[in-house]
Amino acid sequence: MSPVAESSTVFRSLRGQPAAVEVLSSSLAAGRVPHAYLFVGPDGVGKRTAFLKWSQALLCEAPLSPVMACEECGPCRKAGGGIHPDVFRATFEIQAILLKEPVEKQKSIKIDTVREMEKVLSRKPLEGRVKIALIDPADKLVDAAAHALLKILEEPPPATHLVLLASDQGQMLDTIRSRCQIVRFRPLPSSDLLSVLEDRAARGEPLDRERFADAVRAAEGSVGRALEILSEAESLDFDWEGSPLSELLKWCEQFGNPRLGRDAAEDFLRRLLARFRDEARDGRRPPEDIERALTALTRVRRSVGPSLALQALLLKLRREKKRRI
Ligand SMILES: [Zn+2]
């Protein structure tokens, strides 16, 4: 069968994942959608978007083609918004509601959630022809939940499709993996990642090219990570090279916060390193600065106080810069 043109599928907005789009759209086009998929890939590269789009293609009541949902009918809107009654989502958010617990407490998918999913899957569809279950993250199932899921995969109720999402499939039972068709999601190439960020910016915030380029460099191909970095960047936005010393010291102090300090300091240093490496490539930054930033990162990771480690690094960098001028 010839490949389905990506631009004419419901996945056309999913950037940088041509292989995954090809697998998903060719089985939709052929009308042979497997009972279970396992979407594997790093966080934030489009697995959830792909799931939403794919479920629209299956549930749409006025599809333009088997791979092209209308994206406007009731079922499309509900599927796209994650509220379709024939889609069960075994996620931390839903589990928190089921267990009446805060969402932050959810670190694994538990047996009760899988049992609830089984109940929903065993009923007739309420609106469409099929029922769909999402298990996200499927690499965080407790043992009992994994075995219950395995039973469902071994004998899936009629007209059901399961989609498992995982960033670390090594954490999953082989017997679960082998019953799923695996769809691989890759880190996005920088150009695609930048386009996604620019698209989002075009819808709202003004564009800051340098900041976007920083985020793309540090995000390792993950849209989710890039967005996190951009929002952190706002709070980490500080002219450590030009500010008065007293302000620099005060700014460093905020990393003393025991809960946020270390992560924020690590993020700051990772972005600083990405920038230094870039600058070193065309001679705007001496390679020793990279070593200095790496040493500070190691110190922060080895639980030296992040405020002190940053203070020492930034003061040293300022002194060295003055010396060079
Ligand atoms: Zn539709």
Side-chain angles (χ1 to χ4, degrees):
M1 191 179 51
S2 62
V4 182
E6 205 175 330
S7 57
S8 62
T9 72
V10 71
F11 303 106
R12 63 197 176 288
S13 61
L14 183 74
R15 286 198 203 246
Q17 303 296 351
V21 169
E22 175 55 30
V23 172
L24 295 174
S25 45
S26 54
S27 56
L28 281 167
R32 282 198 303 268
V33 179
H35 274 300
Y37 275 121
L38 169 58
F39 291 3
V40 179
D43 282 333
V45 297
K47 300 193 295 295
R48 291 185 186 97
T49 307
F51 170 76
L52 289 178
K53 295 289 168 193
W54 172 86
S55 59
Q56 282 182 325
L58 276 185
L59 296 164
C60 178
E61 63 186 14
L64 311 176
S65 82
V67 289
M68 189 60 144
C70 77
E71 300 183 79
E72 283 172 6
C73 67
C76 273
R77 281 170 193 271
K78 288 181 205 168
I83 52 163
H84 195 291
D86 293 325
V87 181
F88 183 86
R89 303 157 70 85
T91 62
F92 288 165
E93 289 75 20
I94 298 296
Q95 180 168 274
I97 297 168
L98 290 172
L99 301 179
K100 299 190 176 70
E101 287 177 354
V103 68
E104 310 81 63
K105 263 191 76 182
Q106 313 306 316
K107 307 283 184 220
S108 55
I109 300 285
K110 302 193 176 129
I111 178 85
D112 290 348
T113 308
V114 175
R115 290 223 171 96
E116 187 63 30
M117 179 179 91
E118 193 176 9
K119 231 190 279 169
V120 173
L121 288 181
S122 66
R123 291 183 207 132
K124 283 208 163 70
L126 291 168
E127 293 191 0
R129 286 158 287 128
V130 293
K131 278 158 303 158
I132 296 171
L134 169 73
I135 299 102
D136 171 21
D139 46 4
K140 292 277 190 303
L141 288 155
V142 298
D143 278 356
H147 285 100
L149 174 63
L150 181 58
K151 282 223 178 86
I152 303 174
L153 288 170
E154 282 167 347
E155 283 181 65
T160 55
H161 299 283
L162 282 84
V163 179
L164 286 63
L165 266 54
S167 53
D168 183 4
Q169 56 163 331
Q171 298 291 317
M172 300 175 61
L173 295 179
D174 284 344
T175 40
I176 288 186
R177 274 187 308 187
S178 65
R179 282 180 172 75
C180 301
Q181 182 173 345
I182 295 182
V183 185
R184 291 183 196 285
F185 288 73
R186 317 246 171 233
L188 267 69
S190 300
S191 54
D192 282 318
L193 187 48
L194 192 61
S195 309
V196 174
L197 298 181
E198 284 175 348
D199 280 357
R200 285 178 184 247
R203 293 203 294 268
E205 289 166 32
L207 194 68
D208 179 338
R209 285 192 177 277
E210 195 167 331
R211 180 172 290 178
F212 275 31
D214 271 352
V216 166
R217 270 195 296 270
E220 296 171 350
S222 160
V223 177
R225 185 75 200 108
L227 292 173
E228 261 174 46
I229 292 169
L230 284 173
S231 83
E232 283 161 7
E234 279 175 21
S235 65
L236 294 179
D237 204 11
F238 177 74
D239 177 16
W240 57 268
E241 283 181 300
S243 302
L245 187 60
S246 59
E247 278 182 31
L248 174 67
L249 296 179
K250 211 167 123 200
W251 181 78
C252 287
E253 267 171 33
Q254 65 170 330
F255 297 95
N257 175 322
R259 202 166 61 85
L260 297 173
R262 194 168 309 279
D263 286 350
E266 277 197 44
D267 275 341
F268 172 78
L269 287 168
R270 269 197 296 270
R271 291 196 305 125
L272 196 69
L273 267 168
R275 192 181 116 193
F276 281 9
R277 286 193 176 116
D278 243 35
E279 291 174 351
R281 232 166 269 143
D282 48 23
R284 285 175 295 141
R285 174 72 53 186
E288 302 82 54
D289 281 2
I290 297 177
E291 287 307 314
R292 291 181 181 115
L294 269 174
T295 308
L297 185 58
T298 312
R299 293 183 69 205
V300 167
R301 284 184 177 149
R302 286 203 189 131
S303 72
V304 174
S307 304
L308 283 179
L310 279 189
Q311 241 179 54
L313 170 69
L314 299 180
L315 291 176
K316 176 85 181 160
L317 289 171
R318 280 162 66 123
R319 272 200 302 276
E320 290 296 321
K321 191 179 176 194
K322 252 189 215 150
R323 211 173 46 84
R324 286 199 298 273
I325 291 170

